[in-house]
Amino acid sequence: MSKADVSPLQAHAATPAELRERIEAERAGTPFLVLRDGDGSQRVHALEPQLRRVAIGRSAGNDIALVWDTEVSRLHVELERLGDEWTAADDGLSRNGSFVNGQRISGRHRLRDGDVLRVGRTPIAYRVPEASETNPTAAAGSRAELPSLSPTQRSVLVALCRPYKDTELATPATNQQIADELFLSVDAVKAHLRTLFGFFGLEHLPQNQKRSYLAMRALQDGAVSRRDL
């Protein structure tokens, strides 16, 4: 897989604001796309339920206009909703082709959670919150099962989230701040955080994203409540 096919969810160091934007998109529960524009800024496009087709190309008239990418055709690829699924179709629209996870597609290609669609030099990540193929159906009124944490692990998680007590526009507590609050060594804090990253399935994220994402996931999923802070 070339660098151009690397997911924009991982290829760049996301800012706290960008992570919040992704998490808000996940909370909405509808599929969405994530890409970076010509200036490297993150763009999130929700695939709202009323949408049936999304045109992607260099022309400003497209639903998603990649005007900065000279390798993108004026109308490059179309996304189409079929039932609850989204598909990508090139059908000869583009000069340089369209690729999913590094493989050139022809005709219609079903998109799956985490796929990277590349048009020109622009990779576009496709996300499906709580993808039905990878998560069991929950009973009505239930919520995602939370990991079983030891008292120390939970204390570390609460301390990490402490700066979010009064605002979501915060950054997680540092290892030193957590260590000082809990009378632990910094190395012990790091070890507990590594375990927590694993519990919440965040090992794949770049190192400089894991802490913010862990804090926001903990608050979002209810592992830490505002009262705890």
Side-chain angles (χ1 to χ4, degrees), residues 141-155:
S142 68
R143 65 186 304 161
E145 183 177 352
L146 299 176
S148 178
L149 305 179
S150 72
T152 302
Q153 289 165 350
R154 191 170 187 283
S155 295

Side-chain angles (χ1 to χ4, degrees), residues 157-159 161-165 219 224-229:
L157 192 57
V158 170
C161 298
R162 189 83 64 196
Y164 294 87
K165 179 178 182 179
L219 291 166
V224 175
S225 71
R226 297 291 176 181
R227 294 190 299 274
D228 295 325
L229 306 181

Side-chain angles (χ1 to χ4, degrees), residues 14 76 108 119 149 160-161 179 181 195 224:
H76 197 106
R108 193 180 307 280
V119 293
L149 305 179
L160 179 78
C161 298
E181 176 179 336
T195 301
V224 175

